Amino acid sequence: MKKPSKDLMFPLFFPFFLTLLLFPAPILSWKKDEFRNCNQTPFCKRSRSRNPGSCNLVSTDVLISEDGDLVAKLIPKSKRLDFYDENDNNIENGTNIVKPLVLTVSVYQNGIFRLKIDEDKNLGLPKKRFEVPDVVVDEFERTKLYLSRKREEKIGDDLVESSIFYLADGYEGVIRHDPFEVFVREKGSKERVLSLNSNGLFDFEQLKGGKEEGEDWEERFRSHVDSRPYGPQSISFDVTFYGADFVYGIPEHATSLALKPTRGPGIEHSEPYRLFNLDVFEYLHESPFGLYGSIPFMISHGKGRGTSGFFWLNAAEMQIDVLGSGWDAGADKIMMVDQKRIDTLWMAEAGVVDTFFFVGPKPKDVVRQYTSVTGTPAMPQLFATAYHQCRWNYRDEEDVYHVDSKFDEHDIPYDVLWLDIEHTDGKKYFTWDKVLFPNPEEMQNKLASKGRRMVTIVDPHIKRDDSYHIHKEASQNGYYVKDASGKDFDGWCWPGSSSYIDMLSPEIRSWWGDKFSYDSYQGSTPSLYIWNDMNEPSVFNGPEVTMPRDALHYGGVEHRELHNAYGYYFHMATSEGLVKRGNGKDRPFVLSRAFFPGSQRYGAIWTGDNSANWDQLRVSIPMVLTLGLSGISFSGADVGGFFGNPEPELLVRWYQVGAYYPFFRGHAHHDTKRREPWLLGERNTELMSDAIHTRYTLLPYFYTLFREANTSGVPVVRPLWMEFPSDENTFGIDEAFMVGNGLLVQGIYTERATDVSVYLPGEQLWYDLRSGMHYNGGQTHKFEASEENIPSFQRAGTIIPRKDRYRRSSMQMEHDPYTLVIALNSSQAAEGEVYIDDGKSFEFKKGAYIHRRFTFANGKLTSSDIAHSDGKTKYISHCTLERVILLGLSSAYKTALIEPISKKAIIELGPLRLHGGRGPFVPTIRKPGVHMADDWSIQIS
Ligand SMILES: *[C@@H]1O[C@H](CO)[C@@H](O)[C@H](O)[C@H]1NC(C)=O
Ligand SMILES: *[C@@H]1O[C@H](CO)[C@@H](O)[C@H](O)[C@H]1NC(C)=O
Ligand SMILES: *[C@@H]1O[C@H](CO)[C@@H](O)[C@H](O)[C@H]1NC(C)=O
């Protein structure tokens, strides 16, 4: 939540402001009492108190279905012989008799299987439990394998047989019957990879037809009552990762990359990691508390086995414990497995078991497997990968023009200027404040003439004002979310009394999308893009600042069942609207605060309302890395910190780190001092400007990485262990990160740092991009901290494309020539890629792009085509190669011969950074004169 503005909130929050006057400082930090902890969350408390081995379910009737799935029933062991008989109705409604559950396993290509467990729909349930639609992509369904057989086998000392089925070459899936357990193992060694219910913590609360005497299903939190008309319906189970040194993932939390245990010996009073999309006011770093988005996907990594992953598609509140070793001391375990492992406990308030197991075995394999289910990230427009300037608020058109011209005056490039809520007429989205923004089209066009774009904010809360066209249509058509009594839900947000569009319905999403057409959104032009905020959804007067769980959506779905996906659907509808307004020609750009698995298909994510302090700068890196591991490669944190005023040094350091965030935006709260890059003294302006320029020179590299993410899911910025999976020293590192496979960047997170230690992984050399010096991998090096930049290194064996000319915006760089920076390894070799397209349309999907691979070996640099194009649709570029920089080249080489143009050049010493001023000078070939789109080679001798 942004800090409420006074005039708006005064009547409602009067006591709040009274306290504010008395205790100005502490009240502004995270308000713990507003949010539930596990003990105040009945399902979490129940699940956590269960003992290992308490699950008494056994699997029975295991068979292969006509669909090629493996199906089974889960029944209580005590009922084993006489329990379930289809013709015998010994199943009573509204009592505590347990009905059999149905288990289904489907196997997919590339080492993935999906395990579903739900109630038996043939047994007349009070209600169908919610399964999240629109997340699993159609392409995934097409990779399904049809199982034709299974075999039965006794495992270890078991008396009962297990069912074994094929999973992938080298792997098989196992359903153990008694006690019930599902796991993946390697075929040859029989070593386990992943398992579910090995600790016997599985529990599934079945829906009931009605209350029994004395039962009270209502839950209360603070002044809020949740009616819970279907009673308790939570699900929980344990998942074990074998051969794991660490587990990662499950964003969004402001915490370390490697997830710390939340239960076990020596860990007291720790909350589980919470996944519940919330608008948290001034969040804390180092907290398992749930923030704006949720992705129930966990990755394990270890030196022994490698990497595996587990994903639970469920949009209800979830809580996840990482169990420290020894957590189960003395308990009755189902199975003693003599393998190193990490146990976890997953608990959800509602929904079904719909889980995916990924076998890896490499980090990039798991990310590829996960994004094959939920989709790879969309290819952004080029401008969106450049620098964004935001503030709550740029006041009026004059302010916009002023900020825009200051960037030019100081020679600082930027691509996008953002307008927050105050640009609207009374917080009615799609409108403009007529006094402050009388000529919005002219304003956008003026910026567009310099290649710049604008972004306006559009939130899901709609002002209940009968003269507002959106409200009129939404209320007349019944497009709002309903409260438990069936009336339009009415909550408090920026505009005051508001209702919320029901984004679960495809019809309503389509209607919403149409609101972005140029006709409908008056004052919008093709250079205007959108920002979705407050879409958790944020409801100032709701329980935990969000919507009541018993609110009702399309199809009778309770809010509790889909809460974590609400923002996802809103993001989807907005993004699809932007595609529609341009007749499907241009790629959309929509930034969202809330997210869910699949959000990567719709746009960028930022880490919400952070604060201007060093800890938050530091935690932004694990947050962005975790999002990337979870499919969302396009993310960043507000540079400078949203709340509070950063010291100039912090702001400069933040720009230096932020220049490497995939999404790079400066943003600040209403009540903070203005902090555009030219306001904090000449020297600081220079430093921030340098950082922004660094990003612009690296745009060709970033864009190439965005394309890699688009095709493979492998994120733009990566944890070190993703590139160096067998280097154990990297497993816990989250202050340094890789940009692609070629750059290692280490932030500086302390005030007045004098030195900074950097671990350089692997066995190859690393080239310091500041000094041109090289350093050995596999060691920690200590460097003097410089105010000018943060440590950054190019890995030997890589080639990185750059554009070094200074321009006002990325669009103005379109025709600029390229520089290739080649970092030679010990065999005097290197390779790299560049991806180029028109930067805006979908033509690349038809093959209109350039994709080149550069290889350097035996003294020869070669450019070859790796585009998968039919040659019919082409992207034409006249860009040339302007410089080749050769790091680590022996001085014996003097000349270069460029073919096929048979041009000779000398190898001279040139600056490593064109505009960096002072040295270093490194071997350079100037003006080879070849085109980036062509085949060519450069032989040195
Ligand atoms: C249980 O309840 C459902 C709906 O309330 C009903 O359709 C079904 O027939 C009932 N089943 C039995 C066995 O009573
Ligand atoms: C890449 O991004 C586009 C949207 O820009 C999307 O349609 C496509 O599915 C993505 N993936 C691939 C492999 O092209
Ligand atoms: C050097 O880099 C090339 C290209 O990336 C690679 O094929 C080769 O294996 C590397 N050599 C060493 C010793 O790592």
Side-chain angles (χ1 to χ4, degrees), residues 393-523:
N393 210 79
Y394 288 118
R395 254 185 340 264
D396 51 22
E397 289 178 7
E398 198 189 332
D399 197 7
V400 166
Y401 292 133
H402 172 77
V403 170
D404 179 69
S405 68
K406 282 286 178 188
F407 272 98
D408 292 342
E409 192 182 312
H410 291 275
D411 257 329
I412 306 173
Y414 88 97
D415 268 61
V416 194
L417 197 89
W418 292 53
L419 297 178
D420 208 321
I421 49 178
E422 317 294 340
H423 81 278
T424 58
D425 171 15
K427 317 291 185 307
K428 291 181 294 211
Y429 305 106
F430 305 102
T431 69
W432 302 85
D433 183 310
K434 297 227 165 41
V435 177
L436 303 176
F437 294 92
N439 302 302
E441 295 186 30
E442 190 186 324
M443 171 179 71
Q444 291 156 52
N445 291 337
K446 275 196 182 153
L447 263 59
S449 69
K450 299 182 195 172
R452 291 178 178 149
R453 317 297 207 279
M454 292 194 77
V455 163
T456 51
I457 196 164
V458 173
D459 292 350
H461 50 258
I462 302 300
K463 183 171 186 168
R464 296 190 59 83
D465 171 341
D466 290 332
S467 66
Y468 179 27
H469 67 289
I470 305 274
H471 171 63
K472 247 197 318 214
E473 284 177 50
S475 53
Q476 277 165 9
N477 295 330
Y479 285 173
Y480 284 135
V481 179
K482 308 289 184 287
D483 64 20
S485 74
K487 291 200 296 284
D488 285 352
F489 171 72
D490 184 345
W492 200 263
C493 209
W494 294 128
S497 166
S498 306
S499 286
Y500 292 70
I501 306 289
D502 186 1
M503 289 293 159
L504 185 59
S505 151
E507 174 195 326
I508 301 174
R509 287 203 298 274
S510 165
W511 165 81
W512 177 257
D514 290 337
K515 299 296 156 221
F516 293 92
S517 73
Y518 301 119
D519 285 350
S520 175
Y521 188 173
Q522 300 277 312

Side-chain angles (χ1 to χ4, degrees), residues 764 797 825-827 829-831:
Q764 287 284 338
N825 64 14
S826 56
S827 34
E831 61 185 19

Side-chain angles (χ1 to χ4, degrees), residues 647-708:
E647 290 298 316
E649 184 186 354
L650 172 61
L651 187 60
V652 166
R653 290 296 186 211
W654 213 315
Y655 269 93
Q656 291 171 343
V657 171
Y660 297 97
Y661 292 153
F663 175 64
F664 180 25
R665 180 183 76 154
H667 185 35
H669 186 278
H670 207 247
D671 295 348
T672 61
K673 294 194 205 111
R674 294 288 284 240
R675 55 164 101 132
E676 286 74 29
W678 49 87
L679 291 175
L680 296 167
E682 210 173 312
R683 180 62 181 148
N684 292 316
T685 301
E686 216 169 85
L687 295 171
M688 285 184 261
S689 170
D690 265 2
I692 297 172
H693 276 296
T694 300
R695 173 54 167 251
Y696 276 77
T697 58
L698 287 172
L699 282 178
Y701 182 54
F702 270 93
Y703 199 61
T704 303
L705 294 172
F706 273 101
R707 176 59 174 169
E708 183 184 347

Side-chain angles (χ1 to χ4, degrees), residues 139 376-380 587-588 601 707 709-712 841-842 844-845:
E139 292 86 338
T376 55
M379 188 66 199
R587 293 174 226 165
R601 309 203 301 272
R707 176 59 174 169
N710 179 233
T711 53
S712 70
S841 78
F842 287 107
F844 73 100
K845 292 179 75 175

Side-chain angles (χ1 to χ4, degrees), residues 120-133:
D120 189 341
K121 290 172 187 121
N122 300 321
L123 293 181
L125 305 171
K127 177 184 189 296
K128 184 181 169 307
R129 298 176 74 113
F130 182 61
E131 297 176 48
V132 195

